[in-house]
C-alpha cells in the first residue's frame, strides 16, 4: 500500500506493437550464450504465395550445444525456425516492465503471438533424445559401498556431551534455597517479561529447588491446568498489573 | 537467409538481438477480452503489490513480552513445527498479486494474479522492433492475469443463501442491496438518526419487500427510550468497573442496540416455563406455591394475573417483559376491583421467609410499583393511594405491622415514589411497607404512619438516600454466592435505585473497593465473593 508506483504509459500511447513469441527452451539457452552485443540471429519476413512467412535463423556460432566457440559436430541446435503467427483474438495483452528501482512502465500492446518451431530433422531428433535421457535420470541415486565406513560412530565409554553435562552438574552443585524475598524478586522480574511460565523454566531462571519454588509460587501465583497456556504458572491477579491485557479486556468487555 | 522465392515473394531481413544488460524485467499483463480493456484510453494508472497475504504469515507473531505471552513460546512452537514436519511457505513478494488502479479513484480497479508455470518449459520473449529495423527480444519474467474488481456491494455466501431461500417471496430485488447499504450505514454512523432515516425510507418504499422489511424496528425505537438507560447501564457497568468508561460505553451501546435489533417478540403464555429462577430468592418459589394453592379457588382471570405477576417478579432480569406483564396485570386489576388480588399479594408478601434478600425486595417493589403504574399518572407514586383504597375496602385485613420491613424496603419504596412524584405522601409508605413485607421476622415493626425513610444501616451511598445500593446490600449478595459485576449491576437497576447508570457504576465500584472481595474465575468470568 505504501509504494504505489505511477505507471508510465508512454509505450502504450505510442502504440508500439509487440510480438509475444514462445521460444523453446534449448533455443533460449543458446541465446543466453550470445555475445555482449546480443546478436542471435536473423528474422526473415516474407510473403510466400500471399501468406506472410516469418522465419528465424540462428547465428552460426550459437548452434553449438556446449561452450560457446566450440563447434561440436555431433550435436547442433537446428538453425532454422519458422514462426507460427497467431493473432491475439481472445486476450488483450499488454506488456509492462519493472525496473530495478521499482519503476513500472507499460511497454506496449501485444499485436501478434508467435511460436518458434524448429525444423524437424535428424539432428533435432538426436537433440531431443539427449534431452529426454537427461530429464529421466533420477535426481537421487543409491550407491552401494564396498567397504563399511568406520570413521564415524565409534563406540565410546561415555559420550563427550554427557561427560560435559556431568561435569557441569557437579560444579554447580545442588541448588540452594535463597531467601524468600530474593526469590520473590526474581520471580516478579521474570513475570514482568512474560505472563506464563513453565515450572521448569522458572527453576532454570531462579536456580531454586523445585519444591521450594513451588511453595513460593503457590503463594503468589496460580497454576493453569487447562486452557491455552496449559500447565503453566502465572501470577495471581492481585499481583498483576499488565497494561495491555487490561486494555484488551476492556475491548472485549 | 533470403527465402527462395515463389512467384510473389518479397522478403526482408531483420537482425534479432537479445540485449544482455537490461535492467528491466518484462511481464505480461493479460486481460480478458470480454472486459474490453483499451489501454490507450488510460490517462493515469497506478500499480502496487497486494500485500494482504503478509498478515497471514505474520499472524503467528503474537504479542511478545506482553501479557498473555509464555516464556519460550517461540522456541516451543518452532520445535513443534519441526517435529510434525510442518513447512510454512515463505511470503514471496514476487508472487503477490498486483493491484492496478486506472484513472484515479473513480476509475477501474484490476487485480493481477500471477500465472504459474509460464517459464518452466518454454520461454516467452517480447519482440519489439527498433527504429533501426532490428528486432529486440526480451525474456518475459512473469505473466499476470488482470481481472476487474467490482466496486458495488456484493452478498457474502451466507447472505446469498438466505436470499436464495427468499427468492419466491421477494418481489422487489433492488431493495435487497439497498437494505444492506442502509444497515452498513447505520452501523457506522449515528444510530438513532439512521434508524429514523431507515424507517422513514422504508415507509416511503412501500410494499413488496418480502422478508427484509423489519417492521419491528419502529417498535424498537419506542421501546428503546425506556430500556435504553437500563440496557446501556448494564453494559456500561461492566466497562466502568474495568476502569475505562468511554470506549466501553460506546461499544456497549452499539452492541446492545444491535442485539436489540434481533427479533423481539411479545412473550406468549408458556414462554416462562423453562426460565431459570434466581436461587437467591427463596421466597419467590414458596410464593409460587402459595399462589398455586390460591389459584383453584379464584376465577380464571385472577390466577392468570397473579401467575404473570409472580413470574415477572421472579425474573428480575427480564425487565421488559416485566413491564409488559405488569401493564397487563394492571389492566386486569383495574378491571377487577380486587380484594382478592391484594389478599393474594399479601399472602405472598407475608410468606414469612426469613431470608433477607434484597433481590426479592426489589422484585416485590418492582411488581407493586408497576401495579400502581396505571393508576396514577406519576409512574411509581400511585401505589399509595391505591393501596390505601384497597386497605379501606378490606376491613378484615389484619393490620400488618407495617413494618417488619427492612429499612431498605421503606427507603427504597420512598425513593421510588420520590423519584417520580413531587410529594411523597405519608400514607404511601405504610402500604408500601405492608406490600413489600418480605421479612417479617427479622425486622422490628415500625408504626404505619412513619414516613421518613431511615438511612440505611451502615454506610450509605453518598449520592442519595437510596439504600439499595449499599455496602450492606452488596455484602449480602456476595456472601450468598459469587457474582460478577454484571450480576451485581443487574441487582441494582437504575429504575429501582433511582441512580443514573454512571452513578450506580461509580458507587458500586467504590463499594467493591471497600469490601475487597475475593475473586474467583468461573467460566472465564471474574466472580466476587465474600466469606464471613
Amino acid at each position: 500500500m505504501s509504494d504505489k508506483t505511477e505507471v508510465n504509459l508512454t509505450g502504450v500511447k505510442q502504440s508500439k506493437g509487440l510480438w509475444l513469441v514462445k521460444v523453446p527452451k534449448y533455443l533460449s539457452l543458446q541465446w543466453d550464450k550470445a555475445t555482449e552485443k546480443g546478436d542471435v540471429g536473423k528474422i526473415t519476413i516474407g510473403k510466400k504465395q500471399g501468406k506472410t512467412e516469418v522465419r528465424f535463423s540462428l547465428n552460426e556460432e550459437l548452434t553449438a550445444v556446449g561452450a560457446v566457440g566450440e563447434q561440436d559436430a555431433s550435436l547442433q541446435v537446428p538453425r532454422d525456425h519458422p514462426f507460427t503467427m497467431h493473432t491475439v483474438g481472445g486476450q488483450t495483452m499488454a506488456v509492462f516492465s519493472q525496473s530495478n528501482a521499482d519503476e513500472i512502465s507499460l511497454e506496449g500492446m501485444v499485436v501478434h503471438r508467435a511460436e518458434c518451431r524448429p525444423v524437424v530433422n535428424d539432428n533435432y531428433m538426436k537433440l531431443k533424445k539427449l534431452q529426454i535421457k537427461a530429464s529421466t535420470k533420477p535426481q537421487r541415486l543409491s550407491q552401494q559401498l564396498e567397504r563399511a565406513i568406520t570413521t564415524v560412530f565409534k563406540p565410546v565409554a561415555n559420550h563427550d556431551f554427557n561427560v560435559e553435562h556431568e561435569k557441569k552438574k557437579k560444579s554447580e552443585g545442588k541448588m540452594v534455597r535463597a531467601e524468600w524475598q530474593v526469590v520473590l524478586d526474581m520471580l516478579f522480574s521474570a513475570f514482568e517479561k512474560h505472563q506464563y511460565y513453565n515450572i521448569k523454566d522458572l527453576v532454570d531462571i531462579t536456580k531454586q529447588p523445585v519444591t521450594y519454588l513451588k511453595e513460593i509460587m503457590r503463594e503468589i501465583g496460580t497454576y493453569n491446568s487447562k486452557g491455552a497456556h496449559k500447565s503453566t504458572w502465572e501470577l495471581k491477579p492481585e499481583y498483576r498489573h499488565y497494561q495491555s491485557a487490561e486494555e484488551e479486556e476492556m475491548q472485549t468487555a | 537467409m533470403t527465402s527462395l522465392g515463389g512467384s510473389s515473394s518479397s522478403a526482408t531481413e531483420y537482425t534479432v538481438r537479445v540485449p544482455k544488460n537490461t535492467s528491466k524485467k518484462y511481464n505480461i499483463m493479460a486481460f480478458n477480452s470480454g472486459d474490453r480493456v483499451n489501454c490507450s484510453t488510460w490517462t493515469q494508472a497506478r500499480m502496487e503489490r497486494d500485500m494482504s497475504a503478509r498478515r497471514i504469515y505474520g499472524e503467528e507473531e503474537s504479542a511478545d513480552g506482553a501479557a498473555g505471552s509464555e516464556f519460550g513460546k517461540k522456541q516451543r512452537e518452532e520445535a513443534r513445527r519441526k517435529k510434525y514436519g510442518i513447512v510454512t511457505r515463505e511470503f514471496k513478494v514476487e508472487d503477490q498479486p498486483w493491484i492496478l488502479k486506472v484513472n484515479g479513484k473513480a476509475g477501474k480497479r484490476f487485480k493481477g494474479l500471477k500465472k504459474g508455470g509460464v517459464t518452466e518449459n518454454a520461454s516467452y520473449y517480447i519482440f519489439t522492433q527498433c527504429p533501426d529495423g532490428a528486432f529486440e527480444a526480451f525474456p518475459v519474467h512473469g505473466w499476470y492475469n488482470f481481472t476487474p474488481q467490482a466496486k458495488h456491494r456484493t452478498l457474502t455466501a451466507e447472505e446469498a443463501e438466505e436470499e436464495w431461500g427468499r427468492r419466491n417471496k421477494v418481489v422487489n430485488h433492488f431493495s435487497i442491496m439497498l437494505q444492506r447499504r442502509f444497515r452498513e450505514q447505520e452501523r457506522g454512523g449515528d444510530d438513532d438518526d439512521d434508524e429514523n432515516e431507515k424507517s422513514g425510507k422504508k415507509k416511503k418504499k412501500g410494499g413488496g419487500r418480502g422478508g427484509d422489511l423489519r417492521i419491528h424496528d419502529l417498535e424498537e425505537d419506542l421501546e428503546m427510550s425506556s430500556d435504553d438507560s437500563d440496557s446501556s447501564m448494564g453494559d456500561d457497568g461492566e466497562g466502568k468497573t474495568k476502569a475505562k468508561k468511554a470506549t466501553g460505553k460506546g461499544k456497549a451501546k452499539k452492541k446492545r442496540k444491535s442485539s436489540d435489533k434481533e427479533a423481539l417478540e411479545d412473550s406468549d403464555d408458556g414462554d416462562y416455563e423453562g426460565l431459570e429462577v434466581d436461587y437467591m430468592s427463596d421466597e419467590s418459589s414458596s410464593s409460587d406455591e402459595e399462589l398455586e394453592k390460591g389459584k383453584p379457588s379464584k376465577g380464571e382471570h385472577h390466577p392468570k394475573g397473579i401467575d404473570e405477576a409472580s413470574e415477572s417478579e421472579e425474573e428480575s432480569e427480564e425487565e421488559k417483559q416485566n413491564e409488559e406483564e405488569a401493564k397487563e396485570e394492571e389492566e386486569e386489576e383495574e378491571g377487577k376491583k380486587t380484594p382478592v388480588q391484594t389478599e393474594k399479594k399479601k399472602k405472598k408478601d407475608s410468606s414469612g421467609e426469613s431470608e433477607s434478600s434484597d433481590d426479592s425486595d426489589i422484585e416485590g417493589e418492582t411488581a407493586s410499583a408497576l401495579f400502581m403504574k396505571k393508576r396514577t399518572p406519576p409512574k411509581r407514586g400511585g401505589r399509595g393511594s391505591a393501596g390505601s383504597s384497597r386497605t379501606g375496602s378490606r376491613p378484615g385485613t389484619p393490620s400488618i405491622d407495617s413494618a417488619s420491613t427492612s429499612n431498605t424496603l421503606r427507603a427504597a419504596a420512598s425513593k421510588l415514589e420520590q423519584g417520580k412524584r413531587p410529594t411523597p405522601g405519608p400514607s404511601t409508605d405504610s402500604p408500601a411497607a405492608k406490600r413489600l413485607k418480605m421479612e417479617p421476622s427479622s425486622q422490628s415493626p415500625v408504626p404505619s404512619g412513619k414516613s421518613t425513610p431511615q438511612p440505611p444501616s451502615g454506610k450509605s451511598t453518598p449520592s442519595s438516600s437510596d439504600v439499595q445500593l449499599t455496602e450492606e446490600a452488596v455484602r449480602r449478595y456476595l456472601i450468598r454466592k459469587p457474582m460478577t459485576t454484571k450480576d451485581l449491576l443487574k441487582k441494582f437497576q437504575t429504575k429501582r435505585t433511582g441512580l443514573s447508570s454512571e452513578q450506580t457504576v461509580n458507587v458500586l465500584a467504590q463499594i467493591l473497593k471497600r469490601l475487597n472481595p475475593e475473586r474467583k474465575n468461573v467460566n472465564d468470568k471474574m466472580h466476587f465473593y465474600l466469606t464471613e
Side-chain angles (χ1 to χ4, degrees):
Chain A
M1 203 57 128
S2 49
D3 51 346
K4 253 216 234 163
T5 5
E6 184 80 39
V7 177
N8 183 349
L9 294 170
T10 49
V12 172
K13 301 292 184 196
Q14 292 168 13
S15 313
K16 280 207 299 188
L18 305 170
W19 288 6
L20 179 67
V21 183
K22 192 171 183 182
V23 174
K25 253 301 179 344
Y26 67 86
L27 196 58
S28 63
L29 285 172
Q30 297 302 106
W31 286 2
D32 287 339
K33 295 185 200 156
T35 56
E36 193 51 48
K37 196 167 152 238
D39 228 4
V40 290
K42 288 193 186 28
I43 270 194
T44 333
I45 302 177
K47 245 188 149 75
K48 219 180 198 174
Q49 284 123 16
K51 278 207 290 195
T52 321
E53 209 185 70
V54 183
R55 304 181 86 94
F56 170 75
S57 89
L58 191 61
N59 272 355
E60 188 68 40
E61 60 262 20
L62 289 175
T63 50
V65 174
V68 180
E70 280 177 25
Q71 197 67 302
D72 191 0
S74 57
L75 207 47
Q76 279 201 350
V77 167
R79 292 192 64 192
D80 208 9
H81 296 86
F83 274 21
T84 330
M85 305 290 287
H86 311 280
T87 51
V88 260
Q91 268 188 320
T92 323
M93 283 187 285
V95 180
F96 73 96
S97 68
Q98 202 181 1
S99 70
N100 284 345
D102 280 334
E103 279 167 23
I104 303 175
S105 70
L106 210 55
E107 298 293 325
M109 305 289 293
V110 173
V111 288
H112 278 119
R113 280 189 82 157
E115 280 165 30
C116 187
R117 293 176 183 285
V119 172
V120 181
N121 50 21
D122 285 340
N123 198 21
Y124 180 67
M125 286 310 178
K126 269 193 240 162
L127 181 73
K128 274 296 165 189
K129 214 196 293 184
L130 275 171
Q131 266 184 14
I132 292 171
K133 278 195 186 152
S135 64
T136 50
K137 234 190 267 180
Q139 281 158 336
R140 290 159 190 243
L141 186 64
S142 304
Q143 212 180 12
Q144 189 181 24
L145 300 169
E146 291 135 13
R147 308 174 112 236
I149 301 202
T150 52
T151 48
V152 214
F153 295 132
K154 289 210 173 94
V156 170
N158 198 357
H159 288 283
D160 292 337
F161 172 74
N162 271 347
V163 168
E164 278 175 35
H165 191 62
E166 277 164 22
K167 261 202 218 153
K168 206 170 75 146
K169 274 219 161 145
K170 269 217 171 143
S171 64
E172 272 186 25
K174 296 220 167 158
M175 296 182 279
V176 188
R177 290 191 181 197
E179 281 296 305
W180 191 277
Q181 264 312 116
V182 176
V183 180
L184 270 181
D185 288 335
M186 278 197 277
L187 285 172
F188 283 131
S189 58
F191 276 102
E192 266 168 35
K193 296 189 210 110
H194 295 274
Q195 189 176 354
Y196 301 100
Y197 277 90
N198 219 338
I199 191 70
K200 284 196 207 146
D201 298 326
L202 286 174
V203 167
D204 216 15
I205 294 172
T206 58
K207 310 254 185 294
Q208 301 294 298
V210 182
T211 36
Y212 185 49
L213 195 57
K214 271 198 188 163
E215 265 180 48
I216 302 180
M217 280 314 296
R218 237 171 261 139
E219 192 193 299
I220 61 161
T222 51
Y223 182 72
N224 284 321
S225 51
K226 304 175 223 180
H229 310 275
K230 212 171 177 198
S231 57
T232 55
W233 285 87
E234 59 170 340
L235 285 181
K236 284 193 185 152
E238 50 261 24
Y239 291 96
R240 278 190 251 159
H241 191 63
Y242 292 119
Q243 291 295 343
S244 58
E246 276 176 15
E247 282 176 16
E248 280 171 34
E249 280 171 33
M250 267 161 323
Q251 307 268 331
T252 54
Chain B
M1 183 168 88
T2 50
S3 56
L4 298 166
S7 48
S8 53
S9 63
S10 53
T12 30
E13 245 186 40
Y14 306 93
T15 342
V16 177
R17 277 200 303 266
V18 178
K20 282 275 177 170
N21 51 354
T22 136
S23 55
K24 287 209 246 186
K25 288 196 188 130
Y26 285 78
N27 304 286
I28 299 280
M29 184 192 285
F31 297 95
N32 217 351
S33 71
D35 299 333
R36 308 246 185 280
V37 176
N38 191 357
C39 293
S40 40
T41 61
W42 294 355
T43 49
Q44 182 218 65
R46 273 186 215 276
M47 208 151 95
E48 65 190 353
R49 289 273 183 195
D50 178 15
M51 298 292 209
S52 55
R54 195 188 281 244
R55 269 186 299 111
I56 302 171
Y57 287 96
E59 235 170 22
E60 291 153 11
E61 320 290 328
S62 49
D64 225 11
S69 69
E70 254 186 62
F71 177 79
K73 188 156 182 107
K74 262 197 187 155
Q75 290 93 329
R76 214 174 309 168
E77 282 297 315
E78 214 186 294
R80 187 175 165 274
R81 253 183 269 137
K82 272 199 190 152
K83 172 174 152 193
Y84 291 115
I86 300 169
V87 176
T88 42
R89 264 177 280 151
E90 269 178 48
F91 175 85
K92 283 184 236 157
V93 185
E94 274 291 304
D95 294 345
Q96 298 310 304
W98 286 102
I99 294 197
L100 170 68
K101 295 184 191 160
V102 178
N103 296 340
K105 193 122 209 276
K108 290 204 183 144
R109 279 191 74 167
F110 294 92
K111 187 162 182 180
L113 295 158
K114 188 163 190 182
K115 183 165 148 181
V118 167
T119 48
E120 272 169 18
N121 296 320
S123 357
Y124 282 93
Y125 280 80
I126 298 285
F127 277 51
T128 65
Q129 195 162 30
C130 298
D132 65 348
F135 278 89
E136 278 196 337
F138 303 98
V140 166
H141 195 74
W143 186 300
Y144 294 87
N145 288 321
F146 279 77
T147 50
Q149 278 190 315
K151 282 194 193 166
H152 53 268
R153 291 279 143 266
T154 51
L155 298 175
T156 65
E158 289 93 10
E159 288 168 2
E161 280 195 39
E162 256 185 62
E163 295 301 328
W164 174 255
R166 282 195 239 143
R167 70 191 185 284
N168 291 323
K169 297 185 216 153
V170 177
V171 177
N172 184 3
H173 289 278
F174 293 116
S175 65
I176 296 175
M177 293 313 283
L178 197 64
Q179 286 267 336
R180 209 163 158 261
R181 226 171 290 145
F182 279 136
R183 247 175 279 153
E184 281 184 12
Q185 253 182 25
E186 196 175 286
R187 270 186 218 126
D190 196 7
D191 286 358
D192 286 342
D193 287 352
D194 285 347
E195 273 183 39
N196 292 335
E197 265 180 43
K198 185 170 79 154
S199 45
K201 288 216 171 112
K202 268 191 277 186
K203 281 191 223 152
K204 263 192 263 169
K205 280 272 172 180
R209 306 191 97 219
D212 286 334
L213 179 59
R214 293 245 186 109
I215 303 175
H216 65 258
D217 273 348
L218 296 171
E219 288 173 18
E220 272 184 41
D221 284 347
L222 297 171
E223 287 173 350
M224 284 286 231
S225 51
S226 56
D227 293 334
D228 213 25
S229 50
D230 296 329
S231 53
S232 57
M233 183 222 81
D235 293 329
D236 278 352
E238 266 197 328
K240 239 278 166 109
T241 42
K242 307 246 185 209
K244 229 194 198 176
K245 199 172 76 165
T247 53
K249 193 170 193 174
K251 281 195 188 151
K253 209 164 187 143
K254 290 226 172 99
K255 254 198 293 185
R256 192 54 186 236
K257 293 226 172 170
S258 56
S259 67
D260 281 345
K261 283 187 189 27
E262 308 293 315
L264 303 162
E265 28 177 286
D266 288 351
S267 49
D268 301 326
D269 267 0
D271 266 359
Y272 298 114
E273 283 177 10
L275 289 172
E276 294 167 358
V277 180
D278 190 1
Y279 285 110
M280 282 178 62
S281 58
D282 298 341
E283 61 87 38
S284 28
S285 49
S286 52
S287 68
D288 223 356
E289 292 169 36
E290 284 201 316
L291 290 166
E292 270 162 8
K293 272 188 248 152
K295 219 203 290 193
S297 60
K298 311 300 171 193
E300 271 187 24
H301 297 284
H302 299 180
K304 185 172 187 264
I306 294 300
D307 268 354
E308 288 175 351
S310 67
E311 282 165 346
S312 64
E313 283 183 15
E314 284 168 12
E315 309 309 320
S316 62
E317 294 162 22
E318 324 226 73
E319 322 153 349
K320 197 183 290 180
Q321 280 154 348
N322 239 352
E323 287 188 27
E324 290 176 359
E325 295 311 321
K327 279 190 202 144
E328 294 172 23
E329 290 158 28
E330 288 169 17
E331 285 166 0
E332 290 176 0
E333 284 180 355
E334 273 196 324
K336 258 89 210 188
K337 222 357 130 121
T338 61
V340 168
Q341 274 183 330
T342 45
E343 201 182 295
K344 267 222 185 149
K345 256 188 281 157
K346 275 252 176 109
K347 272 205 202 156
K348 194 173 23 138
D349 295 345
S350 59
S351 57
E353 309 304 319
S354 58
E355 70 85 41
S356 57
S357 145
D358 280 353
D359 188 14
S360 38
D361 296 347
I362 299 166
E363 286 164 357
E365 253 179 314
T366 313
S368 20
L370 291 168
F371 293 153
M372 299 306 143
K373 215 168 23 172
K374 276 237 168 155
R375 295 205 173 258
T376 50
K379 229 179 181 191
R380 300 171 208 246
R383 72 186 320 282
S385 49
S388 45
S389 68
R390 278 201 208 139
T391 44
S393 64
R394 269 186 301 110
T397 324
S399 72
I400 299 179
D401 3 327
S402 35
S404 12
T405 49
S406 60
N407 299 331
T408 57
L409 284 170
R410 236 182 312 105
S414 60
K415 176 73 195 175
L416 288 169
E417 287 143 21
Q418 234 177 31
K420 304 304 166 180
R421 239 173 32 150
T423 56
S427 58
T428 60
D429 284 332
S430 50
K434 279 191 217 170
R435 285 303 106 119
L436 302 176
K437 185 182 59 132
M438 300 294 187
E439 27 192 320
S441 53
S442 56
Q443 310 297 329
S444 58
V446 168
S448 42
K450 199 143 163 259
S451 64
T452 48
Q454 286 183 10
S457 56
K459 306 111 199 167
S460 63
T461 60
S463 56
S464 60
S465 62
D466 167 47
V467 297
Q468 289 170 295
L469 184 46
T470 60
E471 190 173 318
E472 181 72 39
V474 175
R475 183 192 295 274
R476 242 173 297 169
Y477 282 127
L478 292 181
I479 288 178
R480 187 158 302 281
K481 91 171 185 170
M483 303 181 68
T484 63
T485 51
K486 202 168 180 178
D487 292 343
L488 281 171
L489 282 162
K490 280 198 184 125
K491 302 295 185 198
F492 304 114
Q493 290 151 352
T494 55
K495 279 195 189 135
R496 331 294 176 223
T497 67
L499 293 172
S500 80
S501 52
E502 291 180 24
Q503 279 177 311
T504 316
V505 170
N506 270 330
V507 168
L508 188 62
Q510 282 175 24
I511 294 180
L512 281 177
K513 271 198 206 126
R514 277 201 290 261
L515 283 179
N516 196 18
E518 294 189 26
R519 301 174 192 210
K520 178 167 82 169
N521 239 327
V522 173
N523 297 338
D524 288 331
K525 288 196 200 128
M526 180 71 66
H527 285 64
F528 298 112
Y529 65 98
L530 287 167
T531 50
E532 285 178 61

